[in-house]
Amino acid sequence: MKRAGVLLLAAVPVIATGVYFVMPTDSADAPVTPPVSSAQSSRQDAKSRAEQEREADDALIADLPPGLADPAKKELAQQLVSSAENSTTKWRTSYGTIEDLGDGCGYTAGIIGFCTGTHDLLMLVERYTKAHPDNGLAAYLPALREVDGTDSHEGLDPGFPAAWRAESELPEFRKAQEEERDRVYFEPAVRLAKLDGLGTLGQFVYFDAMVFHGPDTDAEGFYGLRERAMEKAKTPGQGGAERAYLEAFLDVRRDAMLAKRPGIDTSRVDTAQRRFLKAGNLDLETPLVWEMYGDTYRLP
């Protein structure tokens, strides 16, 4: 259900510098230091600044409460997402799920809805194959690369679904799914939400949006939605009110869902996240009651 995996790259300013030459000494044996071009110097400066900014962000996050990264809250987040992705809060039963939902993303599979058409399933299998070369999915890598970005099953039928289910019985592949979920979706979403000054509910709002819309920078991807929401309301990190910003983000997200697929069920926004927000449950405290696609879920 996600878009193609065009990941956000950190933008850093480039400062133009002059060209510096180190003149050789009088000794014929002394080494000559090669010239450093302005472009090389700019890249080094930009890298240094980016590293410094990341270290500053890490220090800021380290001083904050764990929020959604707390093990109990993370488990809660997986249950909430699973109710939308796999219609169950028992997310550990979904490693082997695989089907074509007819949404243009090809096969959707696993605990977070990895898709053959949106690059994340391909990344998962490639990384898994590096660690486990003889796995049962490796033979499908050429076909997965060919269908990436499409809804095609060419080269995948009829054997790929059965191979996915069989591989999902192995602890190694289950662990790989969890690690890819965290690396691509959970950790970037929670990190950015904390930097935006959002609490546990806001961190979940970002995570669920990242899962559904993909970590893309275009208008319909997660980062594009965030930019549009910030045009409507300031984040708490910018001095804005948390509830007002989250309302703006959910409005933008709901509009994007309907624009992409008119008539789509938006209950993951309307009768789950917005319900928690209206109740003022910014810490995502249990008990929780929400509706998803007409079904009611409860967590004590």
Side-chain angles (χ1 to χ4, degrees), residues 97-114:
T97 59
I98 180 168
E99 62 179 320
D100 191 323
L101 301 174
D103 57 2
C105 296
Y107 280 121
T108 296
I111 58 172
I112 207 69
F114 301 104

Side-chain angles (χ1 to χ4, degrees), residues 35-117:
V36 178
S37 70
S38 60
Q40 288 174 322
S41 179
S42 295
R43 284 194 296 269
Q44 291 170 356
D45 290 345
K47 181 179 179 181
S48 176
R49 286 195 300 276
E51 290 173 346
Q52 291 174 4
E53 290 172 2
R54 184 169 185 86
E55 289 174 357
D57 289 345
D58 288 341
L60 174 63
I61 291 173
D63 290 335
L64 296 174
L68 206 66
D70 176 86
K73 294 297 186 184
K74 183 176 180 180
E75 177 68 20
L76 179 63
Q78 310 315 314
Q79 293 173 303
L80 287 166
V81 169
S82 184
S83 72
E85 293 289 327
N86 292 303
S87 298
T88 178
T89 57
K90 299 178 180 178
W91 64 270
R92 292 179 179 82
T93 66
S94 302
Y95 293 103
T97 59
I98 180 168
E99 62 179 320
D100 191 323
L101 301 174
D103 57 2
C105 296
Y107 280 121
T108 296
I111 58 172
I112 207 69
F114 301 104
C115 298
T116 56

